[in-house]
């Protein structure tokens, strides 16, 4: 595939060992022209490094070494043993980014996140300010730490974030695990490509009401 895609011709794939026996898969592109530093692109959910494929060449062309990791548990990056909720906390995934810099002997980098990756980089900049030279996000604005836990209010009125409430249930895991291939097609591919078996009368209902995200 990469030989047929000019924008991907100059990338290479790294597997960086982290703690607990995990390996972080990272796509790297060298800068063209004088180096201006390193830029780390962090994907969201559900996605992999591939979601940034069209930006890699452009950013490298601006003089940046580009690193695009798969977050833990995504793509070719492993996860630490059996899935445990605490292993995917914001503290842990931010620490993965710092471990990546340490492994490559980088004092700091520019971090840009998309979607959930945007939330990560905002938190990273606050937790490790000396390791983040600049920070930005696509479609994920910065929100300061709320004065009180927002979860109770979200449970009462989740709005468009109802799917996040659904993800906290055991039934959601059962639904997504039932047919992983269809789950990926529905969540990443165009919706029209994966409409087999869909009840049109349920489409407008939020997941917690219809008891499913993709069904």
């Amino acid at each position: 595939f990469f030989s047929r895609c000019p924008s991907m011709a100059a990338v290479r794939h790294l597997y960086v060992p982290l703690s607990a026996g995990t390996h972080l898969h990272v796509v790297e592109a060298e800068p063209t022209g004088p180096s201006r530093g390193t830029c780390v692109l962090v994907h969201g959910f559900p996605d992999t490094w591939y979601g940034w494929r069209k930006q890699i060449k452009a950013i490298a062309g601006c003089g940046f070494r580009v690193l695009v990791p798969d977050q833990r548990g995504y793509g070719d990056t492993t996860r630490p043993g059996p899935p445990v909720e605490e292993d995917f906390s914001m503290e842990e995934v931010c620490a993965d980014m710092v471990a990546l810099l340490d492994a490559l002997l980088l004092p700091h980098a520019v971090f840009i996140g998309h979607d959930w990756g945007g939330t990560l980089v905002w938190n990273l900049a606050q937790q490790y300010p000396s390791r983040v030279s600049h920070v930005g996000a696509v479609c994920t604005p910065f929100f300061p730490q709320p004065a009180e836990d927002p979860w109770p209010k979200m449970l009462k009125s989740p709005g468009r974030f109802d799917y996040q409430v659904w993800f906290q249930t055991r039934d959601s895991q059962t639904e997504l695990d039932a047919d992983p291939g269809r789950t990926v097609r529905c969540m990443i591919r165009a919706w029209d490509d994966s409409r087999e078996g869909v009840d049109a009368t349920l489409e407008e209902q939020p997941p917690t009401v219809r008891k499913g995200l993709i069904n």
Side-chain angles (χ1 to χ4, degrees):
F1 169 81
F2 296 115
S3 63
R4 301 195 301 272
C5 184
S7 64
M8 293 289 96
V11 305
R12 65 171 182 151
H13 294 257
L14 311 176
Y15 291 86
V16 180
L18 303 180
S19 61
T22 60
H23 288 78
L24 194 70
H25 169 241
V26 183
V27 169
E28 177 188 38
E30 293 294 337
T32 56
S35 176
R36 300 174 60 189
T38 298
C39 181
V40 182
L41 305 176
V42 185
H43 68 77
F45 170 86
D47 208 345
T48 66
W49 74 270
Y50 193 69
W52 287 105
R53 67 193 181 280
K54 295 185 178 181
Q55 285 73 42
I56 294 175
K57 182 179 180 180
I59 296 174
C62 292
F64 290 94
R65 178 189 185 185
V66 182
L67 301 173
V68 196
D70 284 336
Q71 290 197 53
R72 63 166 59 190
Y74 294 78
D76 286 336
T77 292
T78 58
R79 55 175 170 76
V84 179
E85 184 175 330
E86 290 74 16
D87 288 336
F88 296 88
S89 67
M90 189 55 63
E91 290 81 3
E92 293 294 333
V93 294
C94 284
D96 284 347
M97 298 300 104
V98 174
L100 172 62
L101 297 183
D102 289 344
L104 300 180
L105 304 178
L106 296 169
H108 50 72
V110 176
F111 280 86
I112 302 175
H114 170 246
D115 187 67
W116 186 244
T119 302
L120 189 160
V121 300
W122 291 127
N123 281 278
L124 180 69
Q126 294 177 88
Q127 292 185 47
Y128 302 94
S130 65
R131 310 306 297 273
V132 180
S133 62
H134 300 76
V135 62
V138 179
C139 85
T140 319
F142 172 75
F143 290 101
Q145 184 70 23
E148 59 184 35
D149 184 358
W151 186 244
K153 291 183 179 179
M154 185 172 175
L155 285 174
K156 293 180 181 179
S157 181
R160 64 189 179 94
F161 296 109
D162 184 87
Y163 72 95
Q164 295 184 9
V165 177
W166 172 246
F167 281 155
Q168 308 309 308
T169 68
R170 293 287 184 184
D171 288 342
S172 71
Q173 182 174 341
T174 300
E175 177 196 21
L176 301 179
D177 286 349
D179 186 345
R182 183 171 183 269
T183 295
V184 172
R185 290 196 303 275
C186 287
M187 298 184 74
I188 296 182
R189 300 294 182 183
W191 179 247
D192 288 342
D193 293 339
S194 309
R195 293 176 58 84
E196 68 273 9
V198 172
D199 184 344
T201 63
L202 298 178
E203 286 185 324
E204 299 303 319
Q205 297 181 9
T208 57
V209 174
R210 67 174 186 259
K211 302 303 180 184
L213 180 68
I214 61 176
N215 293 326

